[in-house]
Amino acid sequence: MSKQFICDIKDRDSINSVFLVKDKIMAMAKNGKPYMNLRLMDKSGDIDGKLWDNVEALDKLFEKDDFVSVRGKASVYLNKMQVVIAEIARIPEDEVSLSDFLPVSPRSIDEMRRELQDVVAAIGNPHLQGLMRSFLDDEQFMKQYCAAPAAKGMHHVYLGGLLEHSLALVKLVKSIVPLYHGINEDLLVAGALLHDVGKIHEMSFERAIDYTDAGKLLGHITIGVELVEEKIRQVDGFPRELSMLLKHMLLSHHGQYEYGSPKRPKTIEATVLNYLDDMDSKINGIQAHIAKENASTSRWTAHHRLYDRYFFKCNGIDQDQQEVECVRDESCEQLLREEKPTEVSADKQERKNFGNQPFKALQNLDLF
């Protein structure tokens, strides 16, 4: 049976292929009958699956992260493609090709690795270059660094995503530095390459992308600082203050305490890194959200839960684009419906804010 990839599935297609179970949730319908929500994936993307019949018996036959053979029918519901499953069965791992099931960066890993070598060679500070070379010379580290995703669900959720994201930040750094006086470009480049380095141990990505025990208990920021400290000790004469500035960038790159940042940015370089990291991750995440909805005829995406909004798909590049009427489904009606303004507490409003505004709370003078 040839592999039917998720990106090729169209409305009303018959489905008969093998997928990886990314998520599995039992739920209860309004009539009291149990049903199953599945998230099926392969390297081209993921798709919702609905199982309505014989759910309790089938629940015992497979688990999350299992490979399953699925037969069913594709349909668009609330502007999103889904599969209504008629039959499902677990498939042994040795009967599938693992390369079909984990998404991979659109960029060549070999090409990105060569770019990384060039970036490190261009670092002028001998201590920072020595630190980066100690990472590049560690083959086990490089194997993980070049293969790891950047996240489980927010952005660059594919093999090679961490390296792609880190190199994108380097390009942003090099475009920003000439605009401002006195920025330490070498420090910023090193921070861009190492800010998420802890994700090589935070994430597991051999079969499905998930968090490791260390990722859940420590997190990539703590793990990353430990990795950097270990390598710094191998570089003779590495200045103590430079070590402190670099580790501060890792500790503060999430910007705010409520975003999991142990420290807020307190240097120019840390502030720049925080904003560039936030921008690149958000743009990649939004583009991925829009790309998932190629089956929808609506000019708007479905609601994005984490960003708490809809996104308009059109940007004026295609001048010949025809107006497309919004599909009259529940999501569009909710989008077009005017909501009455409601009072929201200042704390709740700030936490829901899409923007990254680390200086907004300066009026409290709680600078440390």
Side-chain angles (χ1 to χ4, degrees):
M1 179 175 61
S2 61
K3 179 73 178 83
Q4 188 175 17
F5 286 102
I6 288 172
C7 65
D8 298 325
I9 294 176
K10 304 290 190 299
D11 190 22
R12 301 179 185 277
D13 278 358
S14 293
I15 306 301
N16 187 10
S17 192
V18 175
F19 303 102
L20 178 66
V21 179
K22 184 177 181 180
D23 283 308
K24 174 187 175 186
I25 300 173
M26 295 290 288
M28 193 71 69
K30 292 180 180 179
N31 61 5
K33 184 179 178 181
Y35 69 98
M36 191 183 297
N37 275 322
L38 298 176
R39 195 71 181 164
L40 305 172
M41 69 171 289
D42 60 26
K43 70 177 183 181
S44 72
D46 51 47
I47 191 170
D48 286 330
K50 292 290 190 292
L51 191 59
W52 299 102
D53 299 320
N54 200 24
V55 172
E56 293 177 340
L58 292 172
D59 178 45
K60 302 174 183 178
L61 301 182
F62 67 94
E63 299 295 338
K64 177 184 173 183
D65 294 335
D66 279 343
F67 294 101
V68 290
S69 173
V70 171
R71 190 178 67 81
K73 192 81 170 179
S75 65
V76 175
Y77 177 70
L78 298 183
N79 278 346
K80 295 179 69 175
M81 190 70 73
Q82 66 173 14
V83 177
V84 179
I85 300 170
E87 295 179 10
I88 188 167
R90 183 179 177 276
I91 298 293
E93 183 174 324
D94 58 7
E95 295 184 14
V96 303
S97 173
L98 292 176
S99 62
D100 287 339
F101 294 93
L102 277 179
V104 180
S105 169
R107 294 194 60 189
S108 161
I109 300 296
D110 290 338
E111 173 192 315
M112 289 193 290
R113 188 160 180 164
R114 288 192 295 271
E115 182 179 329
L116 176 62
Q117 294 278 0
D118 292 340
V119 168
V120 171
I123 294 176
N125 183 289
H127 299 103
L128 290 172
Q129 186 178 101
L131 173 64
M132 292 309 308
R133 292 232 172 258
S134 71
F135 279 108
L136 267 59
D137 292 341
D138 185 336
E139 279 303 319
Q140 181 59 34
F141 167 82
M142 286 299 294
K143 180 180 178 181
Q144 294 173 292
Y145 186 69
C146 294
K152 180 183 177 181
M154 281 291 292
H155 66 98
H156 300 86
V157 189
Y158 39 75
L159 300 183
L162 173 59
L163 180 56
E164 180 188 323
H165 171 55
S166 301
L167 290 173
L169 290 192
V170 170
K171 291 178 181 177
L172 290 170
V173 163
K174 290 183 178 293
S175 68
I176 287 292
V177 167
L179 303 179
Y180 301 95
H181 173 71
I183 294 180
N184 187 335
E185 180 176 336
D186 288 341
L187 179 60
L188 251 177
V189 168
L193 293 175
L194 296 174
H195 77 290
D196 274 345
V197 70
K199 289 186 176 180
I200 68 169
H201 297 317
E202 181 185 48
M203 313 291 296
S204 62
F205 42 90
E206 292 79 13
R207 179 166 176 164
I209 297 173
D210 207 343
Y211 291 104
T212 63
D213 291 341
K216 294 176 181 177
L217 293 173
L218 302 177
H220 73 278
I221 293 178
T222 300
I223 296 170
V225 171
E226 291 177 345
L227 289 172
V228 169
E229 174 64 26
E230 179 183 342
K231 292 295 186 184
I232 282 176
R233 291 173 181 171
Q234 301 173 17
V235 180
D236 291 338
F238 200 99
R240 183 175 179 180
E241 183 161 304
L242 185 61
S243 169
M244 177 179 65
L245 291 172
L246 179 60
K247 287 186 286 188
H248 172 67
M249 295 174 73
L250 272 68
L251 289 167
S252 64
H253 76 269
H254 278 193
Q256 295 296 311
Y257 301 137
E258 57 264 38
Y259 301 146
S261 194
K263 302 299 291 184
R264 292 180 295 181
K266 299 184 179 73
T267 67
I268 291 293
E269 289 77 15
T271 302
V272 172
L273 178 63
N274 166 225
Y275 278 110
L276 296 184
D277 176 45
D278 186 65
M279 181 178 72
D280 186 62
S281 60
K282 279 192 169 73
I283 290 175
N284 180 271
I286 295 168
Q287 287 181 329
H289 179 63
I290 293 173
K292 284 181 179 179
E293 301 198 8
N294 57 354
S296 169
T297 57
S298 173
R299 288 158 64 85
W300 291 87
T301 69
H303 184 262
H304 195 297
R305 180 179 60 83
L306 293 174
Y307 293 151
D308 191 24
R309 67 194 61 200
Y310 304 87
F311 288 98
F312 191 55
K313 298 178 183 178
C314 311
N315 62 4
I317 290 179
D318 186 355
Q319 297 299 323
D320 298 327
Q321 185 175 10
Q322 299 296 317
E323 292 289 330
V324 181
E325 290 189 6
C326 186
V327 176
R328 299 303 297 178
D329 58 28
E330 183 178 333
S331 67
C332 272
E333 290 176 1
Q334 181 180 354
L335 171 64
L336 297 173
R337 187 187 307 127
E338 290 204 26
E339 298 180 358
K340 294 181 180 180
T342 56
E343 292 187 5
V344 181
S345 68
D347 179 65
K348 185 175 181 181
Q349 182 65 39
E350 184 167 343
R351 286 175 179 272
K352 290 184 69 175
N353 187 7
F354 175 77
N356 186 351
Q357 302 181 35
F359 299 118
K360 188 173 182 180
L362 279 181
Q363 63 264 31
N364 297 328
L365 298 181
D366 180 17
L367 300 182
F368 300 94

